């Protein structure tokens, strides 16, 4: 991979660009927190060739949401479960949206 390839991937939300230390610094948390949400299977960081954890911007957004819940008193395991359920609900709504729109267009009086 060339330097141009690497720089081009930095715009990719799923590219694992951040080390654990940098990710913790950006989130204002500890590396232990990142390990804990990994153990709770909220996020699974990719590993570098040397075995070091690497995080993507998408994963950092999820970790930031977990930190927000934990900072408000939610136990870390519960915070992880809440985020997983929120994600599942969002995905189900996204998948059901075309069917909902089709039903509304086929029967416009039922939507009223």
């Amino acid at each position: 991979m060339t330097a141009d390839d690497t720089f081009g991937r930095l715009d990719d939300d799923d590219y694992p660009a951040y080390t654990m230390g940098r990710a913790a610094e950006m989130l204002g948390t500890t590396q232990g927190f990142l390990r804990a949400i990994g153990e709770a299977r909220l996020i699974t960081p990719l590993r570098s060739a040397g075995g070091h954890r690497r995080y993507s911007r998408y994963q950092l957004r999820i970790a930031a949401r977990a930190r927000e819940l934990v900072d408000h008193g939610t136990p870390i395991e519960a915070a992880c479960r809440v985020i997983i359920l929120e994600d599942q609900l969002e995905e189900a709504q996204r998948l059901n949206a075309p069917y909902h729109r089709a039903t509304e267009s086929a029967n416009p009086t039922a939507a009223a």
Side-chain angles (χ1 to χ4, degrees):
M1 182 179 286
T2 67
D4 288 338
D5 292 337
T6 301
F7 289 124
R9 301 221 38 212
L10 292 177
D11 288 338
D12 182 353
D13 263 0
D14 295 319
Y15 182 68
Y18 304 98
T19 63
M20 177 181 269
R22 180 69 180 128
E25 180 183 316
M26 290 171 68
L27 294 170
T29 191
T30 65
Q31 293 181 17
F33 176 81
L34 292 172
R35 280 189 212 91
I37 62 174
E39 289 169 9
R41 295 193 173 121
L42 179 60
I43 59 175
T44 303
L46 292 168
R47 298 283 182 151
S48 68
H52 300 282
R53 290 174 178 90
R54 299 286 179 162
Y55 297 88
S56 68
R57 288 189 309 200
Y58 174 74
Q59 290 172 322
L60 294 183
R61 283 195 300 274
I62 293 171
R65 174 73 174 123
R67 176 161 185 239
E68 178 184 322
L69 290 171
V70 169
D71 286 350
H72 285 96
T74 306
I76 196 163
E77 298 82 12
C80 291
R81 185 68 182 138
V82 165
I83 295 166
I84 289 167
L85 290 170
E86 287 174 343
D87 188 53
Q88 289 173 345
L89 175 60
E90 184 179 319
E91 178 68 6
Q93 289 173 330
R94 185 189 66 77
L95 292 171
N96 286 330
Y99 301 112
H100 184 68
R101 284 191 299 272
T103 302
E104 285 179 345
S105 65
N107 191 2
T109 58

